[in-house]
Amino acid sequence: MSNEAILHGQTTGHAHDADHGALDGHHHHHESFITKYIFSQDHKMIAKQFLITGMVWAILGGLMSVLFRLQLGYPDQSFPILESLLGKWAKGGIIQADAYYALVTMHGTVLVFFVLTAGLSGTFANFLIPLQIGARDMASPFMNMLSYWFFFAAGIVMLSSLFVETGPFSGGWTAYPPLSALGSASPGSKTGMDLWIISMALFVVSSLLGGLNYIATILNMRTKGMSMTRLPLTIWALFFTAVLGVLSFPVLLSGFILLIFDRNFGTSFYLSDIFINGVGALPNEGGSAILYQHLFWFLGHPEVYIIILPAMGIASEVMSINARKPIFGYMAMLGSLFAIAILSFLVWAHHMFVSGLNPFLGSFFVLLTLLIAVPSAIKVFNWLTTLWRGNIRFTPAMLYAIGFVSMFISGGLTGIFLGNSALDIHLHDTYFIVAHFHIVMGVAGMFGMFAGIYHWYPKMYGRYLNNTLAYIHFWITMVGAYLIFWPMHYQGLAGMPRRYYDYSVWESFKQFTDLNRFITTVAMIVFATQLLFLFNFFYSIFKGRKVKSQNPWGANTLEWTTPINPGHGNWEGEIPEVHRWPYDYGKDGHDFIAQTVPVGASESKH
Amino acid sequence: MMATLSREQKNKIHPYKFILLIAIGSIVMMFAGFTSAYVVKSNQSNWLQFSMPPVFWYSTIVMLISSLTIYLAEKAFKAREMARYRVLITITAILGLVFMLLQWFGFSYLEEHGVQIIGSGSNPAASFIGVITGVHMLHVLGGVVALLIMFFKAFSSRRKSYSGVPIDMMNIYWHFVDGLWIYLFIFFLYVSS
Ligand code: HEM
Ligand SMILES: [Cu+2]
C-alpha cells in the first residue's frame, strides 16, 4: 500500500475513511481547528501534543519533587504556604507522612511513564519516524491519534487521583503488593490505587498502539533507497524502543490484571498470611508478593531502556551533525542497540537480589547484568570518538548531547556496583540507587529530550529558540544535576535508606542535615531554571526568530528536505529518493552531503 | 542489495496486516507472562490440585470448527460469493459466542465441585484458570465484535468494498485466538496434573 493511500484513506475497514472518505483523490485536507489541533491525525501535530502534555507533566512531577525535597531538607520547619496549597496534607505547614509518600510515588510514576516514556519516545517517534524515513505519515494515523488520546486519558485519571479524599497512591512507583493490593493497607491504597491502576492500564494501551505503529511504519513505509542500514540512528533507537515496549508492556498488564483481581475479587495471587493493624488477619493464603516483582521488573527493566534508547539515538544524531563528522562505528552502534535490547529482557531480577531470590539464580543475573556494560561501553566509546577531532559546533542541542554522554557514563558506572549481588545487599534501597537511576535515566533521559527539542524545534515550529536562554538553561541544569545527585552516592554508601519521611531521628544520619539542605536548595534552583526553558519554548513558538533556510543545521537527513513549515503529507511533490547513509559529513572536501544526493562516480567509500 | 530488497518488501505485506502480526506478538507476551507466573506459582506451596472441567473439551471443538468456518468465509469472499460469505461469518461469530458460553459453564463446573475461582477462600491455582481463560475470552469477544462490524459492512450499500485485507486479517486473528486456546488448554492439562 502506498503512502498516498495512507493519507487519503482509500483502504477499507478503517475508521479513517469513514470521516475522510469523501476526500478521496483530493490532495489537501480541509482542516478545521478541531482536526488540525485537537483530533489531528498528522504525526507532527501528534508529536507536539505528546511533547506539550509531557512538559505539563514534567512541571507537575518536578514540583512534587521540590515539595518532598523541602520536607527532606527542612524536616522540622513549618511552611505556612504549604498548608494553603495542600490543605490537610500539610497540616501546620509541615508535609504529612502520607502526603510525602504520595508525592514520592506520583513523582516517580509521572516522570518515568508520562514524561520520559510518552513525552520522550511519543514525541520523537511520532515526529521523526515519518520525516526521517521518507513517509507521508504513520502506517495508521488513526491508531496514532488514539495512542495520544489514551495517553491523555491516562493523565486525566492520574491527575484526578490527586484530588480524592484519601489521596493518590502512595506505595512507590513500582506498586508492590500488599500496599497496592489491599485498600486497608494505607490511605493511598484505596481510591488512589484504583485510579492509579486504571490510569496505568490506559497508558499501556497507549504505548502499545503507538509502538505497533512505529514498528510497522519503520519496516514498511521507507522511501525508495532507504534501506535499513541507511536509517539514521534515531530511527534505529526508536525502533528498538518500540520493540521493547510491545514485548514488555503486555507482561506488565498481566501483572496488573492479577493485581486487580487481588484488590477487587478476593483472589490471592500476591497475598498470603497478612495481618493488618486495626483490621486483623486476612483470609488470603497461598499468594506470593515476589510474583508481582517478577512481572513488574520484567517490564521495569526494559522500561528503563525504553527511556534511554531514544535519548541515545538523539544524542548520536545530534553529535554527528554538530561534530561535522560521521558517527563513529555506525554498525557497532546498531549492534550495541540490538545487544542492549536483547539483554534488557534477561536482567530483571537484579532488582530483586534482596527479595529472597535464590542466590544461585541471582548469580546468573549478576553475569547477565554486568554483560550490559559491554554494549554500553561500546556506545560511549563511539560517542567520544565521534567528538574526537571533530569540528564541533556547541549549539544548545550539542551541549545537551554531550551532557547526556557525561551523565550516562557517571550513572552507568554505579550500575556496575549495583549489578553485583553481594554489594547490592548493602546498597539496595539506599540513596545510592536514587543517585544511580536519576543520573543514568532521569537526567540523561531529560538531556536526550532537551537535545532533541533544541535540535528539531526549528522543524517543529519554523522558528528558533533563544540561544542565550538555552545556554543558561543548560549550564545551570548540568551543574545542578550533578550537585543534586552526586552527594546522594555518599548518603547511600553510609546506609541512608530511600523513601523515608524523616531521617533526623537517626543519630548516624544527622551528619547529612546540611547536605540535605544543600541538595534541596539546588533542586529548587534547577526547577526554577526549567521554567526559563518553558518560557523560551512557548515564547519562541510565537515570537522566535524565523527559520529562513530549509536546512539550518546543515544536516543530511530527510526531514530537512521538507518545506520549512511542512503540511500534512510532509513533502509537496514526490517523496525524495535516498542514495546514501545519513552520516556523510566532512567527506571528500564537502561539509555535508544530504541523503538525497546520488553517489558521484569519483566519490570515496565511507 | 538492501536497498532493492526493502523496495520490494514494501509492496508485499499490507501495513495494517503487519500491525496485526506485531499485535499478536504482543498478546503472546501477555499470555507468556500469565503462564510463566502460573508455572512459578505452581511450584510453590499451597497449590490446589484439581482436574479441568470436561466442558473445555467441547469448547475446544467449537473453536476448531469456527476456525474452519472463517477459513471458508475468506474463500467465499475471494470467490465473490457474498451471500455465502455473510452466512459463514455469522456462523463464526455465533460459534465464538458459544465458545464463551461453554467456558462459562466450565467455570460453574469448577465452582460446583468446590473449586472456588474468586473470592475469599479461593486458591491461586483456580484463580489463574479463571483469569487466564477470562482474558482469552475477552480476546474472542474482540474477534466477535470485529466480525459483527464486517457483517454490517458487507450489507452496507453506501460503500462496496472488494478489499480482501479485512477478511484476511480476521482470519489470521481468529486462527490465532484458536491456537492460543489450544495452547492454554494443553498447558493447563499438563501443568495442573
Ligand atoms: C551498566 C549498566 C547498568 C547496570 C549494571 C545497572 C544495574 C542496576 C541494578 C543492579 C539496580 C538495582 C539496585 C537495587 O535496587 O538494589 C539498578 C537500579 C536501577 N537502574 Fe540501573 N543499571 C545500569 C544502567 C541503567 C540504565 C541505563 C538505566 C536507565 C536508563 C537504569 C535505571 C535504573 C533504575 C530506574 C533503577 C531503580 C529502580 C527502582 O528501584 O526504583 N540503570 N540498576
Ligand atoms: Cu534494571
Side-chain angles (χ1 to χ4, degrees):
Chain A
M1 168 165 157
S2 75
N3 266 308
E4 311 298 327
I6 290 279
L7 257 198
H8 299 291
Q10 275 154 354
T11 31
T12 49
H14 202 272
H16 186 161
D17 36 80
D19 342 344
H20 291 284
L23 288 170
D24 277 4
H26 287 271
H27 253 267
H28 291 284
H29 286 258
H30 302 284
E31 291 172 319
S32 67
F33 181 82
I34 302 255
T35 59
K36 180 153 185 220
Y37 292 105
I38 300 180
F39 294 108
S40 171
Q41 299 193 11
D42 182 350
H43 70 99
K44 297 185 293 301
M45 183 54 68
I46 296 175
K48 292 177 199 171
Q49 291 175 329
F50 268 108
L51 178 59
I52 292 177
T53 315
M55 279 163 57
V56 170
W57 277 112
I59 291 301
L60 279 174
L63 192 64
M64 290 172 189
S65 71
V66 169
L67 290 177
F68 67 68
R69 267 318 311 183
L70 220 50
Q71 158 63 22
L72 291 173
Y74 302 89
D76 35 39
Q77 203 154 317
S78 155
F79 301 92
I81 177 164
L82 288 182
E83 187 163 12
S84 36
L85 191 70
L86 300 175
K88 67 170 177 180
W89 300 107
K91 214 183 285 157
I94 295 179
I95 295 179
Q96 302 295 297
D98 283 329
Y100 173 83
Y101 293 125
L103 285 171
V104 174
T105 302
M106 285 296 120
H107 167 76
T109 309
V110 161
L111 264 296
V112 168
F113 293 108
F114 292 179
V115 180
L116 290 174
T117 304
L120 180 57
S121 54
T123 304
F124 290 101
N126 270 304
F127 195 72
L128 294 180
I129 290 175
L131 281 173
Q132 288 197 331
I133 68 171
R136 299 235 179 256
D137 206 313
M138 288 286 176
S140 169
F142 177 74
M143 255 172 75
N144 210 25
M145 176 182 82
L146 277 187
S147 160
Y148 172 73
W149 286 104
F150 269 96
F151 167 49
F152 186 83
I156 293 295
V157 175
M158 193 64 81
L159 191 67
S160 68
S161 82
L162 300 181
F163 299 101
V164 297
E165 162 95 51
T166 44
F169 181 54
S170 55
W173 76 280
T174 51
Y176 284 176
L179 275 183
S180 58
L182 297 171
S184 45
S186 78
S189 310
K190 299 183 186 11
T191 322
M193 182 59 196
D194 287 326
L195 294 171
W196 191 92
I197 214 167
I198 294 170
S199 168
M200 286 305 299
L202 290 170
F203 184 81
V204 170
V205 173
S206 157
S207 295
L208 290 177
L209 287 172
L212 295 176
N213 228 331
Y214 307 151
I215 298 174
T217 309
I218 294 173
L219 290 182
N220 283 296
M221 309 201 28
R222 300 187 308 278
T223 183
K224 196 165 173 212
M226 183 63 91
S227 60
M228 289 302 276
T229 46
R230 285 180 182 169
L231 287 174
L233 286 173
T234 32
I235 301 300
W236 270 109
L238 291 164
F239 175 72
F240 283 117
T241 305
V243 171
L244 290 185
V246 162
L247 295 181
S248 62
F249 271 113
V251 179
L252 180 72
L253 194 61
S254 22
F256 282 167
I257 291 174
L258 300 183
L259 185 60
I260 290 175
F261 273 82
D262 272 7
R263 278 183 72 71
N264 301 317
F265 302 108
T267 55
S268 314
F269 292 112
Y270 304 135
L271 302 170
S272 192
D273 307 309
I274 292 174
F275 184 93
I276 297 182
N277 228 346
V279 180
L282 300 185
N284 304 72
E285 251 181 86
S288 150
I290 307 290
L291 194 61
Y292 175 86
Q293 296 194 18
H294 280 296
L295 291 170
F296 182 86
W297 285 113
F298 189 84
L299 159 99
H301 189 84
E303 166 66 21
V304 306
Y305 283 95
I306 289 173
I307 289 174
I308 211 67
L309 291 184
M312 288 175 165
I314 291 171
S316 308
E317 180 74 10
V318 167
M319 284 176 101
S320 173
I321 292 173
N322 289 298
R324 310 312 288 162
K325 272 182 67 192
I327 188 85
F328 188 89
Y330 177 86
M331 286 316 269
M333 283 301 216
L334 278 192
S336 50
L337 280 177
F338 183 69
I340 288 179
I342 301 281
L343 282 173
S344 71
F345 280 109
L346 303 174
V347 301
W348 77 90
H350 66 212
H351 296 274
M352 302 164 59
F353 284 145
V354 210
S355 69
L357 184 82
N358 183 340
F360 181 68
L361 202 61
S363 60
F364 285 99
F365 282 100
V366 171
L367 180 71
L368 290 163
T369 299
L370 296 183
L371 270 183
I372 286 210
V374 177
S376 308
I378 293 176
K379 300 203 81 78
V380 168
F381 179 79
N382 288 350
W383 285 318
L384 296 181
T385 30
T386 302
L387 291 179
W388 179 252
R389 309 185 73 181
N391 197 357
I392 300 181
R393 299 187 308 207
F394 288 102
T395 60
M398 182 61 159
L399 287 178
Y400 269 111
I402 298 172
F404 163 84
V405 176
S406 161
M407 291 291 165
F408 187 71
I409 296 174
S410 312
L413 287 176
T414 52
I416 299 179
F417 290 58
L418 299 172
N420 291 283
S421 55
L423 289 179
D424 192 52
I425 296 174
H426 178 63
L427 297 173
H428 177 67
D429 262 350
T430 66
Y431 265 75
F432 196 88
I433 310 294
V434 179
H436 161 66
F437 74 75
H438 275 92
I439 290 181
V440 76
M441 174 179 82
V443 181
M446 287 306 288
F447 276 26
M449 194 157 156
F450 283 133
I453 296 174
Y454 281 112
H455 187 77
W456 279 288
Y457 192 90
K459 191 77 254 165
M460 286 181 178
Y461 293 103
R463 290 175 189 267
Y464 292 99
L465 286 162
N466 178 298
N467 260 354
T468 314
L469 289 181
Y471 288 127
I472 298 175
H473 175 227
F474 171 75
W475 284 111
I476 298 185
T477 310
M478 174 83 187
V479 174
Y482 270 122
L483 290 180
I484 294 170
F485 295 114
W486 196 267
M488 291 187 186
H489 291 111
Y490 304 115
Q491 299 184 320
L493 286 169
M496 192 165 124
R498 67 194 273 210
R499 293 178 171 150
Y500 275 36
Y501 171 60
D502 185 358
Y503 297 90
S504 56
V505 290
W506 276 278
E507 202 52 48
S508 47
F509 302 135
K510 286 217 170 112
Q511 54 169 327
F512 293 127
T513 310
D514 289 335
L515 188 56
N516 273 332
R517 245 170 231 186
F518 171 75
I519 294 176
T520 299
T521 313
V522 182
M524 288 192 288
I525 295 172
V526 171
F527 180 76
T529 311
Q530 307 314 307
L531 300 180
L532 203 66
F533 166 76
L534 217 61
F535 169 77
N536 195 357
F537 186 93
F538 288 107
Y539 181 81
S540 303
I541 290 181
F542 304 104
K543 293 277 159 72
R545 188 161 53 91
K546 276 206 169 120
V547 176
K548 294 266 164 47
S549 112
Q550 212 178 2
N551 188 357
W553 309 124
N556 290 338
T557 40
L558 289 180
E559 74 270 31
W560 306 105
T561 63
T562 60
I564 290 175
N565 288 306
H568 194 179
N570 298 338
W571 287 269
E572 262 156 14
E574 289 275 295
I575 302 181
E577 188 178 339
V578 164
H579 298 280
R580 58 176 75 236
W581 80 328
Y583 296 108
D584 273 338
Y585 293 102
K587 187 184 181 203
D588 298 342
H590 296 281
D591 182 31
F592 69 99
I593 312 174
Q595 282 192 281
T596 48
V597 177
V599 181
S602 58
E603 205 174 297
S604 63
K605 290 201 71 165
H606 65 247
Chain B
M1 177 214 72
M2 286 286 277
T4 48
L5 233 171
S6 69
R7 181 72 192 150
E8 277 148 24
Q9 180 190 358
K10 199 155 119 180
N11 302 326
K12 248 197 225 151
I13 180 160
H14 191 286
Y16 292 165
K17 196 163 144 188
F18 195 82
I19 291 180
L20 177 69
L21 292 176
I22 317 166
I24 286 178
S26 186
I27 300 173
V28 166
M29 282 308 288
M30 182 170 177
F31 282 91
F34 276 133
T35 47
S36 346
Y38 185 96
V39 172
V40 169
K41 196 81 234 353
S42 68
N43 290 323
Q44 293 172 355
S45 60
N46 210 328
W47 182 256
L48 189 71
Q49 299 269 344
F50 57 91
S51 50
M52 283 298 124
V55 62
F56 279 6
W57 287 100
Y58 296 110
S59 58
T60 310
I61 293 169
V62 168
M63 206 65 212
L64 283 171
I65 297 175
S66 71
S67 254
L68 184 68
T69 55
I70 188 88
Y71 168 75
L72 293 176
E74 178 166 16
K75 281 189 86 171
F77 185 91
K78 291 214 168 115
R80 294 277 167 274
E81 296 175 30
M82 295 319 264
R84 220 161 84 91
Y85 161 73
R86 282 194 292 261
V87 172
L88 281 165
I89 57 174
T90 315
I91 295 179
T92 313
I94 292 172
L95 287 175
L97 292 174
V98 171
F99 169 81
M100 287 166 57
L101 197 68
L102 291 175
Q103 299 295 78
W104 188 257
F105 289 157
F107 293 161
S108 354
Y109 173 91
L110 286 180
E111 297 271 344
E112 277 158 24
H113 287 72
V115 182
Q116 213 182 320
I117 295 175
I118 58 174
S120 165
S122 59
N123 186 281
S127 309
F128 262 120
I129 307 276
V131 172
I132 298 176
T133 316
V135 174
H136 175 262
M137 280 159 73
L138 284 182
H139 284 83
V140 175
L141 184 66
V144 170
V145 171
L147 279 171
L148 286 180
I149 294 173
M150 288 173 63
F151 178 82
F152 287 115
K153 280 222 164 141
F155 275 113
S156 143
S157 52
R158 190 169 66 86
R159 193 186 168 104
K160 280 276 172 260
S161 149
Y162 295 108
S163 159
V165 175
I167 178 69
D168 190 19
M169 286 170 57
M170 196 60 231
N171 244 281
I172 296 174
Y173 181 75
W174 200 266
H175 294 322
F176 164 68
V177 283
D178 183 358
L180 183 59
W181 168 247
I182 291 172
Y183 157 72
L184 290 173
F185 190 38
I186 294 174
F187 174 85
F188 290 149
L189 287 175
Y190 180 74
V191 180
S192 71
S193 61

